[in-house]
Amino acid sequence: MTTPGNRNALGNRSESEQRDWRPTAPVGVLRQRAELVERTRAFFRERGVLEVDTPVLQGGANLDHGVVPMRVTIGSEVRFLPTSPEHPLKRLVASGCGDVWTLAPAFRAGERGQRHAPEFRMLEWYRLGWDDRRLASEVIALLATLTGWSDEHGIITWRDAFRTYAGIDPLTVDDATLIARLGADAVVANHDRRIALDLLLTRDIEPRLGRGRWTVLTDYPADQCAQARIRHAGDGTPVAARFEIYRDGIELANGYHELLDGRALRGRLEQELAARSSDEQLDERFLAAMANGLPDCAGVAVGFDRVVMLALSLPDVGATQAFTWGDA
Amino acid sequence: MDTMGIGEVGKGNKLIFDGAPWLVLEVNFVKPGKGNAFYKLRVINLLSGNTLEKTLRGGEKVELADVEDREMQYMYHDGTSFAFMDQTTFEQVSVSAKSIGDDKDFLLENMMLNVTLWNQEPIAIRLPNTVQVEVEYTEPAVKGDTQSRVLKPAKIKGTGGNVQVPIFVAIGDKITVNTQTREYSGRVSK
């Protein structure tokens, strides 16, 4: 049969045959990745945490500082891809589901590098009645199970990490000292303290965390609380009940003792939205759940691709994925 | 002035920093959990050959350098500069001896190579990875010395440059040389 359509298909054959259609990760890696997923599932089943699925197209956007959500337009409707499954999971917790976990697709616009992919899998879970410290121990227990390494770890506060590895007290340092510490990178920070400290964190501190054991970086400054509650540190300064876990200089997890005050949370998200030039929409269903009341809980998100990268000694997160952003 | 978002920049892009053209060798994206994104670029200055680490913030715009590589033929040199011709347009350009440096040792008349133009001005050449040259002079091999690991200097016909060659290479031999490492890679069979 020779219809114009068929001829066309044949004419394009050589071009489509040249397309690189094969998966990025070899099947051996995919098998080991599947094994890590199974071990994760077993870990939570044993502990009585319920596995759930969350939507990939949300009615409202996640509004984490420095994280840009993707969106799709369906006719006149705009939907947002989750930057993490945080909102639907908290709605489930608020509804009385108890402890829940998911391994869900997450999307972050423009994040592309050795440790970043615009599309990846986020392992996220919530524990009722727990605080951030207890949850950090459970994260390390899971990471130890997945990697086969010991659960030996150290805990350092955000402030002490700057004092130890960057030689400054981030809360009291004067601008001149900070600029001197940045050296040639001072021009990048352009007199913005938050940017200057983030730059020092990525340049001088993070590469030294998690060497030979897990590191829990905790007690973030109150202005970096995201959705964590605020508590007072030993020295009396208000800090966020937030932690991150590092291994080999790589950040793997971000967790909070969750903020329960729905009104305060709305205020934080509205402030973040106002600071953006883009027109994201607040996730009103999520905020309604928070206004109704989230039970006392701690939650954590783990970049699953980074865990696979680390467990299998792969060079980048792309090497853990069947199809990466570049060839999806 | 053409610009590009830093998020779009990849290996091989040519950008302007501090008024000079740079080639991007490597891009690394770093970002603390809920913090500001940074791009760490490793770039090489197309004029001086110096490499540099450059940090930029996410969302910044960078200026694109108007740099193109054009295949041209080497014509001649007059002591201070070398002349090349585009075989399609017959346009002729000259590149300073300073920019060419030691590459002159492998520049044979009528050879085709890439000339890098910045704002239409030639700034550098890129030789083929291997070239074939003729040995103008080298010390004859000592009889009985069969250790091929031993190297001796050989003068290249036409350029006067020197390369190290195995002991069995003789005057008049045609040899191939790696232009990047300046190492002998083989003898062309006669």
Side-chain angles (χ1 to χ4, degrees), chain A residues 66 112 188 194 198 254 256, chain B residues 29 31 33-34 36 55 57:
Chain A
R112 207 148 51 116
V188 183
R194 172 79 199 266
D198 277 351
N254 175 66
Y256 313 134
Chain B
F29 175 81
K31 181 175 173 304
K34 316 272 177 207
N36 294 284
T55 306
R57 273 173 55 196

Side-chain angles (χ1 to χ4, degrees), chain A residues 64-66 110-112 116 185 188 194-195 198 202 242 251 254 256, chain B residues 7 28-36 38-40 55-57 60:
Chain A
D64 276 323
H65 184 74
E111 301 199 0
R112 207 148 51 116
H116 293 84
D185 288 331
V188 183
R194 172 79 199 266
I195 293 169
D198 277 351
T202 58
R242 171 182 164 202
E251 178 221 323
N254 175 66
Y256 313 134
Chain B
N28 213 347
F29 175 81
V30 289
K31 181 175 173 304
K34 316 272 177 207
N36 294 284
F38 303 103
Y39 291 83
K40 309 229 167 179
T55 306
L56 288 116
R57 273 173 55 196
E60 274 193 75

Side-chain angles (χ1 to χ4, degrees), chain A residues 63-68 192 194 223 266-280 282, chain B residues 36 57:
Chain A
L63 292 169
D64 276 323
H65 184 74
V67 182
V68 182
D192 183 319
R194 172 79 199 266
D223 65 354
R266 175 180 281 277
R268 287 183 193 178
L269 296 181
E270 281 175 348
Q271 196 186 347
E272 174 61 32
L273 187 62
R276 296 187 177 209
S277 50
S278 49
D279 59 341
E280 274 94 28
L282 288 173
Chain B
N36 294 284
R57 273 173 55 196

Side-chain angles (χ1 to χ4, degrees), chain A residues 77-220:
Chain A
E77 189 184 7
V78 178
R79 294 246 164 175
F80 295 90
L81 294 158
T83 62
S84 82
E86 182 172 21
H87 292 185
L89 285 180
K90 283 185 177 169
R91 284 169 64 187
L92 286 165
V93 171
S95 78
C97 265
D99 298 336
V100 288
W101 76 280
T102 191
L103 180 58
F107 304 84
R108 297 181 176 193
E111 301 199 0
R112 207 148 51 116
Q114 195 208 342
R115 296 168 190 177
H116 293 84
E119 177 175 357
F120 60 102
R121 294 272 161 159
M122 192 72 101
L123 171 62
E124 185 155 334
W125 73 98
Y126 288 81
R127 290 296 221 159
L128 270 71
W130 287 28
D131 67 5
D132 50 312
R133 285 164 190 155
R134 189 169 172 200
L135 185 58
S137 303
E138 186 171 56
V139 177
I140 290 167
L142 173 67
L143 292 173
T145 303
L146 296 181
T147 57
W149 301 334
S150 96
D151 60 0
E152 195 192 332
H153 62 275
I155 300 173
I156 187 166
T157 67
W158 184 86
R159 190 177 185 185
D160 279 344
F162 276 88
R163 289 197 274 224
T164 307
Y165 300 114
I168 55 155
D169 182 336
L171 301 185
T172 60
V173 65
D174 59 85
D175 287 355
T177 313
L178 189 56
I179 286 168
R181 196 70 192 75
L182 282 169
D185 288 331
V187 60
V188 183
N190 193 27
H191 302 289
D192 183 319
R193 275 182 84 92
R194 172 79 199 266
I195 293 169
L197 294 174
D198 277 351
L199 195 50
L200 283 179
L201 185 71
T202 58
R203 193 188 74 180
D204 298 348
I205 301 170
E206 285 189 326
R208 285 146 151 168
L209 302 180
R211 294 290 165 196
R213 58 178 188 167
W214 311 98
T215 296
V216 181
L217 185 63
T218 189
D219 290 6
Y220 277 72

Side-chain angles (χ1 to χ4, degrees), chain B residues 166-186:
Chain B
I167 211 88
F168 54 78
V169 171
I171 294 171
D173 279 356
K174 290 212 167 83
I175 59 169
T176 52
V177 180
N178 181 322
T179 58
Q180 307 303 305
T181 61
R182 303 178 67 84
E183 280 168 359
Y184 166 91
S185 57

Side-chain angles (χ1 to χ4, degrees), chain B residues 137-142 152 167 169-171:
Chain B
Y137 181 76
T138 188
E139 292 288 338
V142 179
K152 60 178 181 176
I167 211 88
V169 171
I171 294 171

